[in-house]
Amino acid sequence: MAASLTAADILDKAADVIVANGWIQDDFYLTLGIDDQPLPTKRGVQPKDSMECPVCAGGGINVAADFIPDYDEPDGVLYNALEAFARHVEPDPERFADGAWTDPDELYGVIAEWNDIYGRTAEQVVAELRACAADLRGGAS
């Protein structure tokens, strides 16, 4: 991961990943479609690897930080980006009052719950990633 990236940079880049690769629900990423047939991406070609596949919000954040989509041991700036986005989308600020924000599984869980809400759209995910990035920068986009 590039050392100069900030959490806000990662969130903006995650939005770019979703715009470029596509967005999914119910998993970190998708490489194969029904009956294990190759899945065409928005660019019209089969992805070479998981870094080019449609991703959920959490998968997009991971890819933006140069990790595989289902990476689950974040630290440093990746952890900071995940925590910021989880706090951004969690409607109940008391949910993690006991300090559970330090558990990466809880962060991914909050993001996945939000990402997977029925009716959620890729446009909403991209918009919230960018909004959170702007908030981290003090409101400037």
Side-chain angles (χ1 to χ4, degrees):
M1 175 172 42
S4 61
L5 286 179
T6 66
D9 295 334
I10 289 172
L11 295 172
D12 273 333
K13 190 174 172 185
D16 294 340
V17 166
I18 290 170
V19 168
N21 295 4
W23 170 77
I24 65 163
Q25 292 180 299
D26 302 320
D27 211 338
F28 277 96
Y29 66 104
L30 181 64
T31 58
L32 296 175
I34 297 172
D35 298 326
D36 291 331
Q37 296 302 308
L39 178 76
T41 65
K42 290 179 79 175
R43 290 174 282 197
V45 297
Q46 171 66 19
K48 294 179 185 161
D49 61 37
S50 60
M51 302 294 275
E52 298 178 354
C53 297
V55 290
C56 69
I61 294 169
N62 287 342
V63 169
D66 293 329
F67 290 99
I68 60 172
D70 58 351
Y71 182 75
D72 64 357
E73 298 179 21
D75 61 5
V77 70
L78 173 57
Y79 179 90
N80 295 341
L82 289 165
E83 181 181 17
F85 194 65
R87 288 182 183 274
H88 181 81
V89 299
E90 171 55 52
D92 180 7
E94 297 299 314
R95 179 172 179 180
F96 295 107
D98 64 355
W101 284 111
T102 60
D103 182 350
D105 288 340
E106 295 292 338
L107 298 178
Y108 284 115
V110 167
I111 293 168
E113 287 172 16
W114 178 84
N115 182 88
D116 295 347
I117 290 173
Y118 180 78
R120 177 78 62 222
T121 67
E123 292 77 17
Q124 290 170 328
V125 174
V126 167
E128 290 306 317
L129 285 164
R130 295 201 193 286
C132 185
D135 288 349
L136 290 175
R137 292 185 179 107
S141 29

